[in-house]
Amino acid sequence: MRILAAMSGGVDSAVAAGLLREQGHEVIGATLQLYDHGTATGRKGACCAGEDIHDARDVADRLGIPHYVLDRERRFREAVIDDFAGSYARGETPIPCVRCNQTVKFTDLVTLARDLGCEALATGHYARRVDLPDGPALLRAADPARDQSYFLFATTRAQLEFCRFPVGDFPDKAAVRAEAARLGLAVAAKPDSQDICFVPSGRYHEVVAGLRPDAAEPGEIVHLDGRVLGRHAGIARYTVGQGRGLGDASRDGETPLYVAALDAPRRRVVVGPAPALPRASVEAGEVNWLVPPPAAPLRCAVKLRAREAPRPATARWDADAEGGAGLLRLDLDEPGIVAPGQGCVLYDGDRVLGGGFLRRPAPAARVEAAGKVDSAGAAA
């Protein structure tokens, strides 16, 4: 086959390309330059910019395959970085890796691969793709600690048909590095990228403040019962479930407090005790199905955050909601913490059924007393 290999400059995508080349495929390497090459040079924890582009080119030279660098800075800024900042300004917790996969990587690279006459697109993601009687299926990686299927839920069925994930069957990262060494690739010992690729410093609120100053405006920290407990320096610094960075508002007497909701219009951070945070019912929009949408309630497992284990739930698909776009409603067997903007991914065993983006919970109840707030953080 002629296969386009997405090469980020890291060891995983390098091994993916190397394995396919060794298997006799005609491999073409492609690296997306996603943000400023100059400012990224020498930074640790980045990808798709700076030294990583040079590393990808070196791997291509070692493998004897052609390599192209594609400038997608503008596309990445509009589809990922601007969306990232806007999400925080709305009081959500974005997941930029999903947006990047959904837009720049899979949409653009699949188009490029087809333009080049390729029969498949290969990436270094830790996930598995298998052909089943009902079509291609996306499965969790063999290494549960590295599994990235959660970040691939927005991959369409047509894209999945075209994609390959050569490192998904490796038992752990050590085995991938050993394979890179066997192939003679200089990136065998290269450290993993860390944090958000375009914010390697970890100070994401600074990026958000530069693009959306309203997300950095100070406001009140308010208890669920309406008491004002303190001040904050911008809602972009907080996410639901967070306990750090609350200052004097981190405790109510002897009771630790956590972020329960973000009220962006009023610039309020709403806090409460841990038992008040979990929810038994959640909703997700922008849903992508990798199986036919269920016509009846469906028992499944769901992940509400990338690093949590799937939890049992019952899913209901309302195809007519939101003007026909559809809405996924879930009843969790055990309540979980819901951070609007994060992914909500459904599994049947190892198979990804589909997923969407968590929506802001509807108020469980309005508190009639003046000055109090409801459980979704809106003024009563």
Side-chain angles (χ1 to χ4, degrees), residues 35-36 39-47 49-52 197-201:
Y35 47 97
D36 187 76
T39 59
T41 300
R43 294 194 313 188
K44 302 300 181 183
C47 74
E51 292 181 355
D52 297 285
C197 68
F198 57 91
V199 195
S201 67

Side-chain angles (χ1 to χ4, degrees), residues 146-224:
R146 292 279 173 177
D147 174 52
Q148 293 176 305
S149 62
Y150 174 89
F151 298 100
L152 297 174
F153 77 80
T155 305
T156 67
R157 298 184 77 181
Q159 290 168 346
L160 185 60
E161 176 78 40
F162 199 70
C163 290
R164 303 293 185 272
F165 308 112
V167 303
D169 287 311
F170 279 78
D172 53 35
K173 186 63 175 256
V176 175
R177 293 191 182 281
E179 193 69 9
R182 184 187 70 79
L183 292 168
L185 305 180
V187 294
K190 184 176 180 178
D192 292 341
S193 58
Q194 301 293 327
D195 298 314
I196 300 170
C197 68
F198 57 91
V199 195
S201 67
R203 295 189 293 272
Y204 62 89
H205 61 274
E206 295 179 358
V207 173
V208 175
L211 296 170
R212 291 295 300 266
D214 52 322
E217 293 179 358
E220 297 174 332
I221 301 178
V222 185
H223 194 279
L224 279 168

Side-chain angles (χ1 to χ4, degrees), residues 40-379:
T41 300
R43 294 194 313 188
K44 302 300 181 183
C47 74
C48 302
E51 292 181 355
D52 297 285
I53 293 176
H54 296 291
D55 290 342
R57 179 172 289 122
D58 288 345
V59 168
D61 288 344
R62 170 69 182 178
L63 297 176
I65 63 174
H67 177 253
Y68 299 93
V69 178
L70 308 172
D71 182 354
R72 291 295 185 271
E73 284 190 34
R74 180 176 178 180
R75 167 87 158 131
F76 185 71
R77 171 174 286 274
E78 293 174 350
V80 181
I81 299 179
D82 288 350
D83 177 82
F84 176 80
S87 185
Y88 269 113
R90 293 190 299 271
E92 300 171 348
T93 303
I95 184 165
C97 291
V98 172
R99 289 297 188 196
C100 184
N101 289 333
Q102 182 184 34
T103 56
V104 183
K105 288 186 177 176
F106 284 94
T107 300
D108 290 8
L109 284 177
V110 167
T111 299
L112 174 65
R114 295 190 187 280
D115 288 345
L116 293 174
C118 294
E119 300 167 72
L121 167 69
T123 76
H125 286 99
Y126 283 81
R128 292 177 292 159
R129 174 204 173 278
V130 298
D131 289 312
L132 298 178
D134 60 346
L138 176 64
L139 307 182
R140 290 194 286 180
D143 180 5
R146 292 279 173 177
D147 174 52
Q148 293 176 305
S149 62
Y150 174 89
F151 298 100
L152 297 174
F153 77 80
T155 305
T156 67
R157 298 184 77 181
Q159 290 168 346
L160 185 60
E161 176 78 40
F162 199 70
C163 290
R164 303 293 185 272
F165 308 112
V167 303
D169 287 311
F170 279 78
D172 53 35
K173 186 63 175 256
V176 175
R177 293 191 182 281
E179 193 69 9
R182 184 187 70 79
L183 292 168
L185 305 180
V187 294
K190 184 176 180 178
D192 292 341
S193 58
Q194 301 293 327
D195 298 314
I196 300 170
C197 68
F198 57 91
V199 195
S201 67
R203 295 189 293 272
Y204 62 89
H205 61 274
E206 295 179 358
V207 173
V208 175
L211 296 170
R212 291 295 300 266
D214 52 322
E217 293 179 358
E220 297 174 332
I221 301 178
V222 185
H223 194 279
L224 279 168
D225 64 14
R227 288 176 292 148
V228 177
L229 303 180
R231 302 279 295 176
H232 65 80
I235 60 173
R237 296 172 179 266
Y238 301 92
T239 183
V240 173
Q242 180 176 328
R244 294 172 298 154
L246 295 172
D248 293 339
S250 63
R251 304 186 73 85
D252 184 17
E254 297 299 317
T255 304
L257 298 177
Y258 304 88
V259 177
L262 297 171
D263 184 355
R266 296 173 177 81
R267 300 198 303 275
R268 281 178 164 181
V269 173
V270 183
V271 298
L277 270 61
R279 294 181 174 276
S281 297
V282 302
E283 294 181 346
E286 296 183 65
V287 178
N288 177 62
W289 288 104
L290 291 174
V291 298
L298 173 68
R299 288 295 294 171
C300 60
V302 60
K303 290 182 70 170
L304 303 179
R305 291 175 183 260
R307 293 184 177 87
E308 74 172 20
R311 63 183 69 218
T314 299
R316 294 176 174 82
W317 173 238
D318 186 349
D320 297 325
E322 300 199 336
L327 193 66
L328 177 63
R329 306 181 195 277
L330 287 164
D331 295 321
L332 308 175
D333 288 12
E334 296 181 4
I337 294 178
V338 178
Q342 289 283 286
C344 173
V345 184
L346 277 56
Y347 293 85
D348 178 8
D350 282 341
R351 185 177 186 179
V352 177
L353 305 178
F357 294 93
L358 288 167
R359 293 299 175 86
R360 188 179 305 280
R366 303 290 289 184
V367 181
E368 298 301 331
K372 292 190 177 183
V373 297
D374 59 40
S375 57

